[in-house]
Amino acid sequence: ADSNLIQEITPNSAKGLVADGIIRGGMLPKIQTALDAVKAGVEGAAIVDGRVPHTVLKELFSTFGSGTLIVPDHATATSFPSSQKKKKSNNT
C-alpha cells in the first residue's frame, strides 16, 4: 500500500490539503470531480489507482477498499458498517 494514501477524506479536509499543496498535480482534477459528485448528493466517491491490478474489485469488495473515499462533511465512512461503506463505493 502507498504510504501517502488517504483512505477517507471530507470535502473540507480535501480543500485544506489542496490549499496546503499536499493534493496537487494530476490529483487535482480527480479530487475536484469527486468533490463535485459528493456536493451533488452522491454518498461517497472513490478514487483508485487504475495501474493496480483488480483495484476496482478491491475497492468494492474489501473492508477498507484500495483507494480514497470522499464522503460528505457531515458523515464519515468510518461511522458506517463495512457493508454500507462498500455500497457507497458501488454507487460511484
Side-chain angles (χ1 to χ4, degrees):
D2 184 350
S3 62
N4 294 322
L5 177 68
I6 299 171
Q7 289 188 336
E8 176 188 317
I9 195 167
T10 63
N12 281 336
S13 296
K15 290 173 187 172
L17 293 175
V18 169
D20 292 342
I22 294 169
I23 297 175
R24 62 185 187 280
M27 286 307 299
L28 290 174
K30 296 172 185 77
I31 197 74
Q32 188 57 57
T33 300
L35 292 173
D36 290 345
V38 170
K39 182 178 179 183
V42 172
E43 292 180 3
I47 299 174
V48 297
D49 186 344
R51 300 169 298 179
V52 176
H54 312 294
T55 193
V56 174
L57 293 174
K58 290 176 185 175
E59 180 63 33
L60 293 175
F61 297 112
S62 67
T63 303
F64 295 106
S66 64
T68 299
L69 182 62
I70 295 87
V71 296
D73 286 313
H74 62 275
T76 62
T78 55
S79 65
F80 295 100
S82 297
S83 60
Q84 286 183 333
K85 186 172 143 186
K86 286 185 218 171
K87 184 177 178 185
K88 288 176 156 201
S89 298
N90 195 17
N91 290 333
T92 59

